[in-house]
Amino acid sequence: MADDSEYIMWYHARDSRFDSDNSLPPLSTGRIGRASSRNGLVWERDETGSYDCDKEGVSLGLNTDSWWGFDTAHIGLGQVLMPMVSPSIRSEGGVYVMYYCGGSHEETKIIEYLDEEKSSQVPQDATIKGMKLKIGAAISQDGVTWGRIEGDDPSGACMVPFDASNNDSLDFGRDHPEELYTGWPEVIVNPVAASESTRNAATDNNRENFFMYYSTMLTDTKEKAIGVASSSNGFAFEKQGIALTPTPGTLDAGGCARCNVIPKASLNEEGFWEEEENSWIMFYEGVSLDGKHRILAAESSDLKTWKKIGLALDVGEGEEAWDCDGVGSPHVIRLDDGFFRMYYNGVDSNGETAIGVAKSVDLINWTREQAALTFSL
């Protein structure tokens, strides 16, 4: 994310001492940090962090104020909205909004997340903590110090997995499939059309000013899928169904997860970015049956229904490549020269992760810019 003078990156990570007893899911989630850059390639970590976090150098830490909170064990970044990008009154006045996911120390059975074949290989009473992910929001005036927003759920979350047996979930309708977790939120502002009034859009409680896409696992089929929800104010969301599910025989046959949605755009003759009306592209993580993650794409004209268009970025070539074992968690920004830049997570043959960059002029063909991002010390 770029402001007037520099690039800002928020990211989640865990140190070597995090989850020392291996009771949490083996994810990259932990706490959320912040870094800045002048060119978007060489980054400097914020070593100070927020003064009220549970660890130095952290921008948003674990929730130590509410033991019942959904985010007491680990958290992961979803999306950060810059000030003044929203039609909602609540985002005016220079307020950043961060959407993130988190897990608590609540235990659930591991077999709940496995298909029949895999569940037979695990002890039936084996449990794991922090897997029932939920989604929350935080706000900040400077992008450094964050304050959590209490959602409608008793845990403080603003989006939770749909469970038909929970009366609090029935507002979503019984036709919505049950979910085991909700994580990695991607929130998009629904732009105000030329025929609409910005003031009316901000005060219309029935207008879908925000769309949230989140990663989930469907309870019945154990499919990894991407759900969609909408909101008028950016904090209270209503589920609208499942946006993407795996397609047998393709590169996402094993699941769809972690996405980034942007409007299609190009530079006009004056050198300014011009967005195409009602034309959006989603980059998402597709999991193939061999377990490898790749970045795939889909497109939409209404932000609700999506058509898959295929592979966007494949894994690195050769066993020595730093991202040979998987690529995912895409995030795309526009550059002043008419190119798009994609930041993504890569995994090498040893399971080590890093952040890489790729460049494109048409959102279809991507070329890696460098091996991996550099953090200055």
Side-chain angles (χ1 to χ4, degrees), residues 140-162:
S140 172
Q141 291 186 325
D142 58 8
V144 177
T145 300
W146 297 85
R148 286 172 163 85
I149 298 296
E150 289 292 327
D152 292 335
D153 188 72
S155 68
C158 67
M159 175 62 65
V160 301
F162 176 65

Side-chain angles (χ1 to χ4, degrees), residues 65-230:
D65 295 327
S66 306
W67 60 266
W68 60 88
F70 72 96
D71 49 358
T72 55
H74 65 122
I75 59 175
L77 179 67
Q79 171 75 314
V80 176
L81 295 184
M82 290 283 280
M84 306 304 290
V85 300
S86 162
S88 171
I89 294 177
R90 296 193 187 190
S91 289
E92 294 182 359
V95 175
Y96 296 81
V97 182
M98 176 188 289
Y99 298 92
Y100 67 99
C101 61
S104 69
H105 294 282
E106 177 186 0
E107 294 185 349
T108 52
K109 290 186 176 181
I110 294 178
I111 59 173
E112 293 182 12
Y113 307 95
L114 304 176
D115 58 29
E116 186 174 349
E117 179 182 354
K118 293 180 180 178
S119 63
S120 64
Q121 304 171 14
V122 177
Q124 298 299 293
D125 57 350
T127 62
I128 190 170
K129 296 180 180 179
M131 193 61 210
K132 192 173 182 179
L133 299 172
K134 299 179 181 180
I135 293 170
I139 59 173
S140 172
Q141 291 186 325
D142 58 8
V144 177
T145 300
W146 297 85
R148 286 172 163 85
I149 298 296
E150 289 292 327
D152 292 335
D153 188 72
S155 68
C158 67
M159 175 62 65
V160 301
F162 176 65
D163 180 356
S165 65
N166 183 352
N167 291 332
D168 293 335
S169 298
L170 294 182
D171 291 340
F172 299 135
R174 293 186 180 275
D175 291 337
H176 190 91
E178 290 191 286
E179 302 163 330
L180 291 171
Y181 59 76
T182 53
W184 296 279
E186 166 78 358
V187 177
I188 302 300
V189 175
N190 187 11
V192 179
S195 59
E196 294 181 279
S197 164
T198 301
R199 177 174 296 180
N200 290 342
T203 57
D204 185 356
N205 292 330
N206 295 317
R207 187 181 190 275
E208 295 174 314
N209 287 323
F210 301 84
F211 283 89
M212 174 189 287
Y213 304 90
Y214 60 90
S215 299
T216 188
M217 176 176 281
L218 306 184
T219 304
D220 291 340
T221 63
K222 300 298 185 286
E223 290 179 306
K224 294 179 180 178
I226 296 176
V228 58
S230 63

Side-chain angles (χ1 to χ4, degrees), residues 238-367:
E238 183 175 347
K239 294 179 188 283
Q240 300 295 330
I242 301 300
L244 288 181
T245 56
T247 301
T250 70
L251 291 177
D252 68 6
C256 306
R258 289 179 284 265
C259 71
N260 176 223
V261 176
I262 63 170
K264 294 182 180 180
S266 59
L267 283 187
N268 59 26
E269 295 181 354
E270 288 76 31
F272 295 102
W273 282 102
E274 190 171 300
E275 297 180 356
E276 298 180 24
E277 187 174 0
N278 299 323
S279 187
W280 303 79
I281 187 166
M282 173 193 290
F283 297 98
Y284 69 98
E285 209 170 297
V287 186
S288 56
L289 292 181
D290 63 3
K292 285 196 174 182
H293 295 227
R294 296 172 176 85
I295 296 174
L296 310 181
E299 58 186 4
S300 174
S301 60
D302 61 5
L303 290 171
K304 291 183 179 180
T305 56
W306 293 85
K307 178 184 178 181
K308 297 177 181 180
I309 56 179
L311 179 67
L313 189 70
D314 206 344
V315 297
E317 296 182 4
E319 294 183 358
E320 299 301 319
W322 72 271
D323 55 356
C324 67
D325 214 42
V327 293
S329 300
H331 185 83
V332 176
I333 64 172
R334 299 193 295 234
L335 302 177
D336 292 338
D337 60 3
F339 280 84
F340 298 87
R341 175 179 288 161
M342 176 190 291
Y343 295 89
Y344 66 95
N345 183 68
V347 184
D348 68 13
S349 57
N350 296 317
E352 297 293 327
T353 61
I355 299 173
V357 283
K359 206 172 184 180
S360 173
V361 70
D362 58 7
L363 293 171
I364 302 298
N365 301 292
W366 293 88
T367 303

